[in-house]
Amino acid sequence: MTTNPQPNEKAIGDLIEEVGRSSARLIKAATTLTDDQVRAPSALPAWTRGQVLVHLARSADAYTWLLRSARGCHHPGSRPTTAPPPSTTERAAALAADVRLSLERFAEEARAMPADAWSRLVTALAGWRHPAWFTLWRCLRELETHHVDLYCGYHPSDWPVSYVIWALDDTLATLKEQHLPIGSAEAVDLGRSWELTPGGPTVAAAGHVLLGWLAGRTPGPDENLPLPPPWPQPPTPGWGRARQP
């Protein structure tokens, strides 16, 4: 059982479009950066903006690989890695083009997916499994989070409401299973609340504020709140892990 029910064909199409809009926003931002700016620190500790862009491109390659595997490609290509990239001295234009091409490949692969392939299980680099359609949500989360990390004028308050709702549902379901010592959380602007650990404190804030805190991108609404675990976590209960060789 998972907190993420399989979306229907229309919902998958809508999600592909949302990933496309998020990609366009990020690519537009990337193309405005200068060579000096991509070598400057990002909002992600110890990473430059250029490293964030390289990571985004390789993550998109990894998601493309997963979709190709789901639809049974005999030669999906080498399995990509999304490990933190080394320091980069590439020019801004080259980095922006790399991200754009990787995201375009992912979009093309998503549009080419047969309807029955979306339900097939794929294995993330970390070893946990999920249906191919969950790759779309993972890509959207990667784009929205790291767009903020680029530190170029995009903030959690700019996150689309539909993304914030999904990410809160997914994250708080996982943290409930992990017994995060929070009694309940309320997104006051969204009219939504989540019950977590009985007896814990209540946290109430705008949805993007809650998500920014849970994602480690902004301070908590209350300084006395417990520190959330590293984010993102695999979906819980989820679809299990791949067997170890």
Side-chain angles (χ1 to χ4, degrees), residues 33-195:
L33 298 175
T34 66
D35 291 350
D36 287 341
Q37 286 173 330
V38 298
R39 293 169 191 147
S42 71
L44 197 60
W47 283 40
T48 66
R49 289 190 181 100
Q51 288 175 301
V52 172
L53 291 174
V54 171
H55 174 74
L56 278 163
R58 300 293 76 79
S59 294
D61 290 343
Y63 300 146
T64 298
W65 191 93
L66 291 177
L67 295 189
R68 288 175 178 170
S69 299
R71 65 184 182 94
C73 287
H74 296 297
H75 302 288
S78 300
R79 188 175 178 88
T81 176
T82 57
S87 296
T88 178
T89 57
E90 286 191 71
R91 291 188 177 275
L95 293 170
D98 187 23
V99 174
R100 177 177 57 79
L101 290 172
S102 292
L103 288 169
E104 286 177 353
R105 283 193 294 267
F106 177 72
E108 290 171 2
E109 198 65 40
R111 289 192 293 267
M113 282 281 283
D116 62 344
W118 285 113
S119 61
R120 294 174 188 159
L121 291 179
V122 295
T123 303
L125 292 174
W128 47 278
R129 308 182 77 197
H130 60 75
W133 58 260
F134 193 73
T135 307
L136 295 170
W137 281 117
R138 290 183 61 198
C139 186
L140 183 62
R141 179 171 60 193
E142 195 84 2
L143 287 164
E144 292 298 325
T145 305
H146 288 314
H147 195 165
V148 170
D149 292 336
L150 281 180
Y151 197 46
C152 56
Y154 193 76
H155 307 285
S157 57
D158 297 312
W159 283 334
V161 171
S162 58
Y163 164 69
V164 171
I165 291 172
W166 170 80
L168 285 174
D169 282 344
D170 183 74
T171 302
L172 290 168
T174 298
L175 296 182
K176 180 177 181 178
E177 292 293 323
Q178 296 179 0
H179 305 293
L180 180 73
I182 292 291
S184 64
E186 180 185 1
V188 294
D189 57 330
L190 303 177
R192 299 174 71 91
S193 61
W194 300 262
E195 299 297 322

